Amino acid sequence: REAEQEAQEIIEQAKKEADLLREETSRAMKEQAERRTAMAQQKIAQVEANAVKEVRTTAATIAVGAAQAVLAEEFSGQGGQSLIDAGIQSVAAKLN
């Protein structure tokens, strides 16, 4: 009779430990998933920021090139070219 009760207590204790282990494992997995989600969101934000920066840089480069071409046509000759070059250098410096 005493052995049966002891066996029952061992079984109950094992069940409690299993429940605790299951809860701990579930909590740890949830925390890990949250950390991975946060890391993924940070990486996505960084990629988006880099893409925006690249698009802005490309747009500025194209705009400067277009402006140079238009101004070169309008201010042909050595004096006009010097003015254009100075203006382009100024704009390029401000954009970067």
Side-chain angles (χ1 to χ4, degrees):
R1 195 99 180 142
E2 192 174 305
E4 264 184 49
Q5 186 172 350
E6 188 176 329
Q8 188 63 32
E9 289 173 2
I10 291 172
I11 291 171
E12 287 177 25
Q13 184 63 32
K15 285 181 181 179
K16 288 179 185 178
E17 289 176 8
D19 287 342
L20 288 174
L21 182 60
R22 184 175 30 257
E23 289 173 12
E24 182 179 321
T25 301
S26 176
R27 184 179 68 251
M29 289 177 69
K30 182 180 177 185
E31 289 172 358
Q32 183 180 26
E34 289 171 354
R35 282 192 304 273
R36 286 185 177 182
T37 299
M39 287 174 51
Q41 289 171 338
Q42 288 174 343
K43 286 181 181 181
I44 290 168
Q46 184 62 45
V47 168
E48 287 175 348
N50 289 344
V52 167
K53 182 178 178 181
E54 186 176 332
V55 167
R56 285 182 178 163
T57 299
T58 301
T61 301
I62 292 170
V64 168
Q68 182 180 17
V70 168
L71 292 174
E73 283 184 34
E74 294 210 10
F75 294 104
S76 59
Q78 189 59 28
Q81 189 61 43
S82 300
L83 181 61
I84 292 169
D85 290 341
I88 290 172
Q89 287 176 357
S90 173
V91 170
K94 289 178 184 178
L95 291 175
N96 293 325

